[in-house]
Amino acid sequence: MDKRKLILAFETSCDETSIAVLENGEKILSNIVATQIDSHQRFGGVVPEVASRHHIEQITHCLTEALEVADVDYDDLSAVAVTYGPGLVGSLLIGVTAAKAVAFAHNLPLVPVNHMAGHIYAARFVDQFQYPQMALLVSGGHTEIVYIKSEYDFEILGETRDDAAGEAYDKIGRVLGVNYPAGKTIDEWAHEGSDTFDFPRAMIKEDNYDFSFSGLKSAFINTVHNAEQRDEELNSRDLAASFQQSVVDVLASKVERALLDHPVKQFVVAGGVAANKGLRSRIERDLQTKFPNVQLLMAPLKLCGDNAAMIGAAGQVAFDHKKRTDMSLNAVPGLSF
């Protein structure tokens, strides 16, 4: 009987220390996540040095717990997978160093994983992938439309030219007095308000698949500051709804253009902002009405944020495709597909 394939996966690209054990890239045996949100809230965002120190404190505890929960030992493992980019260089280095140590000590293959590929493969826990495929990746640091012609073959069709969608949420959240991370609260407020401010939809009519959210962020902040100077009180729910409607309209418009130009069998929505209810419902409605033959796969809500289970899923595919690295592996903070 063939030995089952067990991947030990490390994810430390930002402010979550996460280690998981996956069986055959599909069954999650453990997925330990140590979050740092409380430590960064007082700063209004992630402080790289603070994040790195927390990773150092947490990583051995997470590793021990991941193996215990999965009820496996190092001798049972087939390989070690690790996020090596993109992300914060100090944070990435902690995970890369730990993964290399485990791989070296136990003579295990070391598999490098692109963090964004991990987000895509989080949707594989919903259903088997079919190709060609397209993905919308929306997170705090990235907003991209990716075309996947075949397994583990990625091509960026469009990306943000400035602020990512999640980054814009956090920045306007600070103006509204919402604690970091602001996305969930802004989403909730948006469902209680109306699009009364009609903020700009940047690049929505341009013949490309790129995004820009910096102008929207500036328009939002200027609207609030101008009202404060006039001692005028604005409805925070309407502000949230207007902001979110602009973001969703732009994302949905670019997705529609990309799908018209690149027919696919499946469309994946993944990344931290993929948990946004407004975005999920809009994409779901658009695909049902405009692209009924395209299967929609949304990453499970609990796997939208950074986690090692998604790295293990992507790592298994990379491992099957003979992707390996050695002890010279380094963090690549600006890594792209």
Side-chain angles (χ1 to χ4, degrees):
M1 184 176 178
D2 291 339
K3 180 183 177 181
R4 59 178 181 163
K5 292 184 286 188
L6 296 179
I7 295 278
L8 176 69
F10 289 75
E11 159 57 35
T12 62
S13 64
C14 191
D15 62 338
E16 264 88 28
T17 310
S18 184
I19 301 180
V21 178
L22 269 74
E23 181 176 345
N24 299 325
E26 296 178 344
K27 183 178 181 182
I28 301 173
L29 301 185
S30 65
N31 186 32
I32 309 304
V33 180
T35 185
Q36 305 176 14
I37 288 177
D38 290 345
S39 296
H40 296 285
Q41 276 186 339
R42 67 176 184 262
F43 303 111
V46 178
V47 179
E49 177 65 16
V50 173
S52 301
R53 290 174 181 269
H54 276 293
H55 287 309
I56 293 172
E57 294 171 359
Q58 295 291 338
I59 197 152
T60 53
H61 300 298
C62 290
L63 176 57
T64 300
E65 188 175 355
L67 293 171
E68 288 179 351
V69 171
D71 193 23
V72 300
D73 201 352
Y74 292 109
D75 292 339
D76 301 315
L77 300 175
S78 305
V80 178
V82 60
T83 299
Y84 72 110
L88 302 175
V89 64
S91 294
L92 288 165
L93 281 169
I94 307 304
V96 167
T97 302
K100 288 199 293 187
V102 171
F104 179 80
H106 300 280
N107 196 28
L108 290 165
L110 183 61
V111 182
V113 177
N114 184 311
H115 177 74
M116 304 314 291
H119 274 305
I120 292 174
Y121 276 87
R124 195 171 136 178
F125 295 110
V126 177
D127 202 352
Q128 288 293 321
F129 278 5
Q130 300 175 44
Y131 303 95
Q133 181 190 77
M134 192 180 296
L136 172 66
L137 296 177
V138 272
S139 67
H142 299 268
T143 304
E144 302 171 346
I145 295 178
V146 182
Y147 180 69
I148 306 120
K149 185 177 181 180
S150 58
E151 189 170 75
Y152 227 72
D153 179 10
F154 308 100
E155 176 191 354
I156 296 178
L157 298 180
E159 58 190 335
T160 184
R161 297 185 182 179
D162 39 61
D163 289 348
E167 187 180 4
Y169 269 90
D170 287 333
K171 287 180 177 178
I172 69 104
R174 286 200 288 271
V175 176
L176 292 176
V178 177
N179 282 336
Y180 166 86
K184 183 178 180 180
T185 300
I186 299 299
D187 185 24
E188 291 171 352
W189 285 7
H191 286 80
E192 299 171 7
S194 302
D195 179 13
T196 59
F197 291 93
D198 193 30
F199 288 127
R201 272 72 167 162
M203 300 179 64
I204 195 168
K205 294 183 179 179
E206 291 191 18
D207 189 20
N208 56 46
Y209 316 114
D210 288 342
F211 309 94
S212 171
F213 297 107
S214 180
L216 167 62
K217 173 201 67 182
S218 298
F220 184 98
I221 293 173
N222 288 338
T223 297
V224 173
H225 286 173
N226 288 339
E228 289 174 347
Q229 291 170 359
R230 297 193 302 270
D231 288 328
E232 180 184 347
E233 187 172 340
L234 302 180
N235 186 304
S236 59
R237 272 56 177 175
D238 288 345
L239 282 166
S242 301
F243 172 83
Q244 178 153 298
Q245 191 63 55
S246 174
V247 172
V248 170
D249 282 350
V250 170
L251 291 173
S253 173
K254 297 292 183 170
V255 164
E256 180 179 353
R257 177 174 285 122
L259 285 172
L260 286 171
D261 294 343
H262 300 79
V264 295
K265 295 180 179 178
Q266 291 178 324
F267 186 79
V268 171
V269 182
V273 183
N276 183 284
K277 294 177 182 176
L279 176 61
R280 291 172 84 94
S281 61
R282 172 66 177 273
I283 296 294
E284 187 173 23
R285 185 175 70 247
D286 281 2
L287 259 68
Q288 286 177 347
T289 57
K290 300 174 183 178
F291 304 95
N293 295 323
V294 177
Q295 181 187 9
L296 175 61
L297 297 180
M298 295 194 186
L301 287 174
K302 65 180 180 179
L303 298 180
C304 284
D306 295 345
N307 67 91
M310 70 184 194
I311 301 304
Q316 181 64 65
V317 177
F319 180 71
D320 292 342
H321 281 255
K322 311 299 182 186
K323 295 187 183 297
R324 307 283 191 277
T325 188
D326 55 27
M327 292 301 116
S328 67
L329 179 68
N330 202 354
V332 183
L335 181 68
S336 181
F337 284 119

